[in-house]
Amino acid sequence: MLRLIAYGGLTAALVACGNFAPVFGFIGLILSPLPIAILGCNENRNRAGIAELIAEALLLLLVSPYMALYFFVGYAPVAGMICALKDLQKSHSLTAGENILAIFTVSIIAKLILMSVFWYLTGHNAMFPDTPQLEVILNEVYREQPALLEALQMTLYLFPNMIPLLVVVYCGIEAFLNYSLCVRLTRKRKFFPEIPNFLTWRFPNSILFALLFALMMGFFTDFRVWEEGAMFAFNLQLLLNVFVFLQGLSFLFWLITVRFKFGSLARILACLALVFPITWLFVIMAGMGDIMVNFREKFSNRVSS
């Protein structure tokens, strides 16, 4: 029983981070399904369900009924899906990508239901970021870089049009982090296949055709004439840029660690690429080049010959 209380308490604490630590609380929310998922994988889904009920009771008594409902609708299904995948793995040899896709699908459905429920109850979008608070943070962090600050503030004003993209990216991060940490923390029991090395990540060339389509659609559409089409093109373009960015980061990691043997420099590059938006364009260009040319294969063939 103490184990169930501990897992339920940890889950409640992670969810509460989103209420009491608004700036970094999203990390706790993203990882909130993890304790229940690990308990369900190591023991069984019934005990995981009891731990979830304990977490719900703690949130209801110590935080608020809305946070208890928030976790139950939006995040508990992710933990349930990871537990179900552990049982499916015995009869179906699912790859890491298929497992993450299944978790991502459940997460998307749960977040859509969550937004609908909270819109009905409160009249507000439960997934919409706190724009005034973000403005305060940006003013504090980038006050000595007025040009960059202005560009980021303009991005904030576009947030209402970026809700579909934000939800997709958020659910993707949630699925990836919870699965990868669950794999790592249960590695000895080998419930799930490992995620491929980041240095080998590649996306299909069709991404470039989809990106070209989004660019052309955005060029020929206007928010004043066809708002839905312009929003679709805008979100599709940003989403595809995320994939190209990951491809570019993977290629640059490979170039630095494998080609030039500077492993520590790759970590510095990751920090720069994530913290300073000025580097994003360079990483995206590297990703586009690698998708078109496949530099890693060409460099490897040249070395082997």
Side-chain angles (χ1 to χ4, degrees), residues 17-18 21-31 170:
C17 285
V23 179
F24 302 104
F26 73 95
I27 298 176
L29 279 174
I30 284 178
L31 297 180
Y170 183 90

Side-chain angles (χ1 to χ4, degrees), residues 137-202:
I137 296 169
L138 292 177
N139 287 330
E140 185 67 26
V141 175
Y142 297 105
R143 59 187 173 187
E144 296 181 358
Q145 304 178 52
L148 180 58
L149 177 60
E150 183 180 356
L152 291 173
Q153 286 176 336
M154 288 297 295
T155 304
L156 278 182
Y157 297 136
L158 291 173
F159 264 174
N161 297 321
M162 295 169 61
I163 289 296
L165 170 72
L166 294 176
V167 172
V168 170
V169 172
Y170 183 90
C171 293
I173 294 172
E174 181 186 29
F176 178 81
L177 285 181
N178 280 283
Y179 178 80
S180 59
L181 288 174
C182 192
V183 169
R184 185 173 294 274
L185 295 173
T186 60
R187 179 175 291 173
K188 291 183 179 179
R189 305 187 69 175
K190 297 182 179 179
F191 292 129
F192 303 105
E194 297 273 354
I195 296 175
N197 193 316
F198 182 63
L199 301 180
T200 65
W201 284 21
R202 280 192 57 80

Side-chain angles (χ1 to χ4, degrees), residues 57-278:
L58 290 172
L59 290 170
L60 186 65
L61 295 173
L62 302 179
V63 186
S64 71
Y66 280 111
M67 287 305 292
L69 180 63
Y70 195 87
F71 173 71
F72 179 76
V73 176
Y75 295 87
V78 175
M81 187 63 201
I82 295 175
C83 297
L85 286 172
K86 175 223 149 181
D87 296 331
L88 281 174
Q89 201 68 36
K90 299 175 183 178
S91 55
H92 301 79
S93 299
L94 300 175
T95 64
E98 290 170 337
N99 286 328
I100 292 174
L101 181 61
I103 299 168
F104 170 76
T105 303
V106 170
S107 179
I108 282 281
I109 295 171
K111 299 307 180 293
L112 291 176
I113 296 173
L114 175 68
M115 288 190 291
S116 302
V117 169
F118 271 76
W119 183 269
Y120 176 77
L121 293 175
T122 66
H124 297 286
N125 190 338
M127 299 294 293
F128 193 77
D130 189 352
T131 305
Q133 188 177 52
L134 288 176
E135 285 183 345
V136 172
I137 296 169
L138 292 177
N139 287 330
E140 185 67 26
V141 175
Y142 297 105
R143 59 187 173 187
E144 296 181 358
Q145 304 178 52
L148 180 58
L149 177 60
E150 183 180 356
L152 291 173
Q153 286 176 336
M154 288 297 295
T155 304
L156 278 182
Y157 297 136
L158 291 173
F159 264 174
N161 297 321
M162 295 169 61
I163 289 296
L165 170 72
L166 294 176
V167 172
V168 170
V169 172
Y170 183 90
C171 293
I173 294 172
E174 181 186 29
F176 178 81
L177 285 181
N178 280 283
Y179 178 80
S180 59
L181 288 174
C182 192
V183 169
R184 185 173 294 274
L185 295 173
T186 60
R187 179 175 291 173
K188 291 183 179 179
R189 305 187 69 175
K190 297 182 179 179
F191 292 129
F192 303 105
E194 297 273 354
I195 296 175
N197 193 316
F198 182 63
L199 301 180
T200 65
W201 284 21
R202 280 192 57 80
F203 297 101
N205 296 352
S206 55
I207 283 182
L208 292 180
F209 294 103
L211 184 58
L212 178 62
F213 168 76
L215 289 171
M216 296 295 292
M217 188 174 180
F219 181 77
F220 288 109
T221 54
D222 191 337
F223 273 98
R224 294 168 296 181
V225 179
W226 188 25
E227 182 178 351
E228 293 79 7
M231 283 183 59
F232 174 79
F234 176 71
N235 282 276
L236 179 60
Q237 182 180 342
L238 291 177
L239 179 61
L240 293 172
N241 277 328
V242 171
F243 289 108
V244 177
F245 179 87
L246 290 174
Q247 173 98 10
L249 204 58
S250 173
F251 166 64
L252 292 174
F253 264 51
W254 178 88
L255 193 67
I256 294 170
T257 57
V258 177
R259 183 72 173 168
F260 297 114
K261 311 293 183 183
F262 293 120
S264 58
L265 186 58
R267 298 181 181 90
I268 297 173
L269 171 67
C271 295
L272 291 175
L274 295 175
V275 174
F276 296 102
I278 197 171

